Amino acid sequence: MVKFGIGQPIRRIEDVRFLTGRGRYTDDVNLPGQAHAYILRSPHAHADFTLKDVKAARKAPGVIAVLTGDDYKADGHAPLPCKAPVKNRNGSEQVVPPRWPLAIKTVHHVGDAVAMVVAETAAQARDAAELIDIDWREKPAAVDTVAATEKGAPLVWPDFKNNISFDWQNGDEVKTAATFKRAAHVVRLRLVNNRVIANSMEMRGALASYDKASQRYTLYSSTQGSHSVRGLLAADLFKVEPDRVRVVTPDVGGGFGMKLFCYPEYALTAWAAKRAGRPVKWTAERSDAFLSDTHGRDNVTDAELALDQQGKFLAMRCTTWANMGAYLSDYAPFIPTGCGTDMLVGVYTLEACYVRVFGVFTNTTPVDAYRGAGRPEAAYVVERMVDAAARQLKMSPDEIRRRNFIPAKSMPYKTAMAWTYDSGEFEQNMTKAMAHADWNAFAKRRAEARKRGKLRGLGMGYYIETCGMGPGDTATIKMGADGQVTLLIGTQSNGQGHETSYTQILSERLGVPAESIKVMQGDTDLIAVGNGTGGSRSLPEGGVALDKATVKLIEKGKQIAAHALETAVADIEFANGRFTIAGTDRSMSIVQVAKLAADPKKIPAGLDTGLDGADSYMSKAPTFPHGCHISEVEIDMDTGVVSPVRHTIVDDFGRLINPLLLEGQIHGGVAQGYGQALFENAVYDNKSGQLLSGSFMDYCMPRADVLPNIKFDTHNVPCATNPLGIKGCGEAGAIGAPPAVINAVIDALADYGVTHIDMPATPQKIWQIIKRGGARAAE
């Protein structure tokens, strides 16, 4: 094994750059002569408007341009597209209203962009924006996810008959209904997946230029995929060939799904740069982020679980109202439909499953993918229903799961929905997690806590997700004559540690030191093809493409080595960075071969110069990471504050590239899961549509001092759906934690008759339950 190989817990090599201030983010990039942009946003959730006077703003000091939606449309550019529309149950098309980067005549949510001011400085642009005179005519707003679908609700889009964008279904409705008819028990819950805001450390930004001679746009921006943003700008918005747009993504300080999309500001800065004849830069402030970054979750689900007399699960049936916000973001319709609903069977032997999903328009910020994207919502529904069934049937949480787990011997297992699980030992994971959590001694800990005036609860959640499958990716490896290796790959790191993981694969496969490897991502001029990062697919797809590219490079190296050593290619072996004639001590290092490869006179005829290799990989089936989470919490009876005591996880991620990076991913995901379960909530005023939690004064983020120590372990079974056996781990913590935490809170409150509490389980909600002494306060 090489020093920096696969499976070793290596610290992230990119962290040295970040911790010493040498990271390069979008706001660190500057171009000569750049101007600065400010976006004027709507203070109203729903209103018609007229721009009465922009002359004063245009005459303000330093102002270069004041641009409006009418200007954008007049220049022949198109509205932002929805790239993942779905079909209605009856086969008809869903409702897709236009989304102009700058609103035209009507705004549909607080923060909707109304005008763009370009000036010499950001301060001048902001000051000038205050001079724009707007006549506002407010209209009623629809905010609540379910209430927006009811008769008489204000219409977000008056041109359509209601606020339903789509009415979609999945599963077997007839079989599910028949199965429910023979059920001995039915469990029912209304479950809320609360709206959350990504709040990445680095906010979005854009710096664009336009070269008049080549008629070419260049955009620097913090994205999760330069190529997808380029594709939308070129094909959908500006109607130009892809080579007329270059998108560069430098270092990215967090994405969580939110940075996947082509936002209005990206199109606006590129358009403004062309209009102004100079580069234009826009950097979001945190208040912009709260109002204009896509939000996550915001689903309401009526769920039913059918069981037989012995507590065996028979069928699941769900109706979900999924808030889309005012507009359809890039992939918004796909998230609550095809992205997650197949996981509503969990890890259990359900006979049938059926789900109906309504996509709902409201006068709120658009909703799209957020860490896990549909799978956390599904796992929360499944595991809350399993826990509720255990309580209704007076069974323990582990026993009801043991009765219903898909047995390991049944793999591969075709579920009641779309997928066939290739591997998994679910009961073994749960048993191991229970041992780590000291499950059997919990009663003693509960009794001890009660003596101190505290309520203790223990909750379990078992998740499974589908990930690691997407549009595929391509990797190109080039080794210079100096031994330096460059990897060009189409994925995009936003904090996961791609440089380290990819370097480990390259170092092991090529036998070269990590110091000689450079990983390049995020520049559409340097990297021909790329599909960015999302759905935990960077290693399952990008890593496999990279692994295959090393094979191509080695095969080329064998031809060059055989030529130099005057032997047949079939006689050359490669191991530990050396090409050797089999059965002899005659060999050459890979660096020596790379030097030869640079000279056309020293390589076989017909072979291109350079030691390189390129290949692509697209998964034909997803991976299915899964695991058991156990949360133990303590509740203060005087304040209702929940204090997480410990969190235990046993996961199955297949083959591990770097256990240390993986554990860091899990810690981060669990933190976001606790955030959703206990703290975070994007709240709108039902009447005005104002975002009441529009700053960190009102939106509670989890901090290190409110999170528990995490006991993390694995029980890995390599997956059979990709050549490296990798299952993906980036979203797992955020999927498994919320149901385990809420199940623990309910367990702590069981003596008060509580069977359900919605996320976030805030101190106020819990204090009301305790002081009022009953379950009604939890509703």
Side-chain angles (χ1 to χ4, degrees), residues 225-244:
S226 297
H227 292 82
S228 61
V229 172
R230 180 188 67 173
L232 288 165
L233 288 173
D236 295 283
L237 299 179
F238 297 153
K239 309 296 183 183
V240 298
E241 292 300 314
D243 62 3
R244 293 263 307 278

Side-chain angles (χ1 to χ4, degrees), residues 11 50 72 134 158 228 241 338 382 500 633 664:
R11 290 184 178 275
T50 302
Y72 178 90
I134 304 178
S228 61
E241 292 300 314
V382 172
T500 303
V633 303

Side-chain angles (χ1 to χ4, degrees), residues 119-180:
E120 297 291 345
T121 70
Q124 288 174 331
R126 178 189 289 274
D127 290 344
E130 295 182 2
L131 301 177
I132 297 175
D133 187 6
I134 304 178
D135 177 28
W136 295 103
R137 298 174 297 281
E138 284 193 71
K139 303 170 73 173
V143 172
D144 183 84
T145 303
V146 176
T149 66
E150 296 172 354
K151 187 176 181 180
L155 292 178
V156 178
W157 295 93
D159 290 344
F160 304 110
K161 63 180 181 180
N162 56 38
N163 290 323
I164 296 175
S165 174
F166 58 83
D167 175 3
W168 181 92
Q169 67 179 1
N170 190 14
D172 191 326
E173 183 178 16
V174 174
K175 183 177 180 180
T176 301
T179 306
F180 264 84

Side-chain angles (χ1 to χ4, degrees), residues 83-101:
K83 300 302 290 183
V86 298
K87 297 281 189 180
N88 289 312
R89 291 198 308 155
N90 62 8
S92 63
E93 302 293 332
Q94 73 166 105
V95 172
V96 182
R99 185 187 184 188
W100 295 97

Side-chain angles (χ1 to χ4, degrees), residues 159 183 233 290 304 316 320 454 493 511 529 546 582 586 650 667 756:
D159 290 344
L233 288 173
F290 272 95
E304 300 175 282
M316 178 82 82
T320 292
K454 310 288 186 181
S493 177
V529 178
L546 159 61
R586 296 182 63 204
V650 174
H667 287 182
H756 179 65

Side-chain angles (χ1 to χ4, degrees), residues 167-468:
D167 175 3
W168 181 92
Q169 67 179 1
N170 190 14
D172 191 326
E173 183 178 16
V174 174
K175 183 177 180 180
T176 301
T179 306
F180 264 84
K181 286 182 180 179
R182 59 183 175 85
H185 306 279
V186 176
V187 180
R188 295 181 175 88
L189 280 179
R190 170 164 282 195
L191 299 159
V192 176
N193 258 282
N194 45 316
R195 179 183 282 234
V196 293
I197 301 173
N199 281 314
S200 57
M201 187 177 292
E202 180 212 16
M203 289 168 289
R204 293 187 298 112
L207 171 60
S209 65
Y210 181 78
D211 184 74
K212 190 174 181 180
S214 63
Q215 298 183 324
R216 195 161 189 257
Y217 300 91
T218 297
L219 172 71
Y220 294 86
S221 188
S222 179
T223 80
Q224 287 179 230
S226 297
H227 292 82
S228 61
V229 172
R230 180 188 67 173
L232 288 165
L233 288 173
D236 295 283
L237 299 179
F238 297 153
K239 309 296 183 183
V240 298
E241 292 300 314
D243 62 3
R244 293 263 307 278
V245 179
R246 177 192 182 194
V247 178
V248 181
T249 298
D251 290 323
V252 180
F256 314 117
M258 178 271 292
K259 290 183 180 173
L260 278 167
F261 319 118
C262 186
Y263 284 89
E265 296 87 359
Y266 305 164
L268 293 176
T269 51
W271 168 58
K274 181 179 181 181
R275 294 264 305 215
R278 57 193 290 189
V280 174
K281 186 174 190 177
W282 169 81
T283 301
E285 297 183 2
R286 187 61 68 180
S287 57
D288 288 305
F290 272 95
L291 296 175
S292 64
D293 291 355
T294 55
H295 293 180
R297 316 291 192 241
D298 204 343
N299 292 353
V300 177
T301 299
D302 283 345
E304 300 175 282
L305 177 62
L307 302 91
D308 68 12
Q309 193 65 47
Q310 287 72 44
K312 285 282 290 180
F313 302 158
L314 300 176
M316 178 82 82
R317 182 164 56 196
C318 299
T319 300
T320 292
W321 292 263
N323 200 330
M324 297 286 100
Y327 303 101
L328 296 175
S329 179
D330 295 30
Y331 305 107
F334 175 62
I335 304 307
T337 56
C339 197
T341 56
D342 287 330
M343 294 291 98
L344 284 169
V345 292
V347 291
Y348 308 110
T349 54
L350 287 159
E351 298 176 19
C353 185
Y354 175 74
V355 59
R356 185 176 181 183
V357 181
F358 294 99
V360 183
F361 289 123
T362 61
N363 293 111
T364 64
T365 299
V367 177
D368 210 313
Y370 174 70
R371 196 169 191 168
R375 285 92 79 197
E377 295 91 316
Y380 182 70
V381 169
V382 172
E383 291 302 300
R384 280 296 298 117
M385 293 301 289
V386 170
D387 205 66
R391 292 189 179 279
Q392 185 168 314
L393 274 63
K394 295 182 170 47
M395 297 174 64
S396 67
D398 59 308
E399 177 55 29
I400 198 167
R401 287 173 172 84
R402 289 185 203 281
R403 293 191 186 189
N404 290 282
F405 278 140
I406 299 166
K409 64 183 180 182
S410 297
M411 298 295 173
Y413 182 87
K414 177 71 171 68
T415 73
M417 294 297 261
W419 299 116
T420 297
Y421 299 162
D422 65 291
S423 60
E425 297 177 352
F426 309 133
E427 185 172 354
Q428 291 90 325
N429 287 348
M430 183 183 73
T431 301
K432 192 174 184 179
M434 291 172 67
H436 283 319
D438 198 11
W439 180 279
N440 293 335
F442 173 71
K444 293 180 181 179
R445 298 195 296 275
R446 189 201 292 269
E448 185 276 331
R450 197 57 187 258
K451 291 178 182 178
R452 294 185 285 106
K454 310 288 186 181
L455 303 174
R456 277 244 181 172
L458 190 64
M460 179 185 290
Y462 204 109
Y463 80 93
I464 188 167
E465 63 157 324
T466 169
C467 68

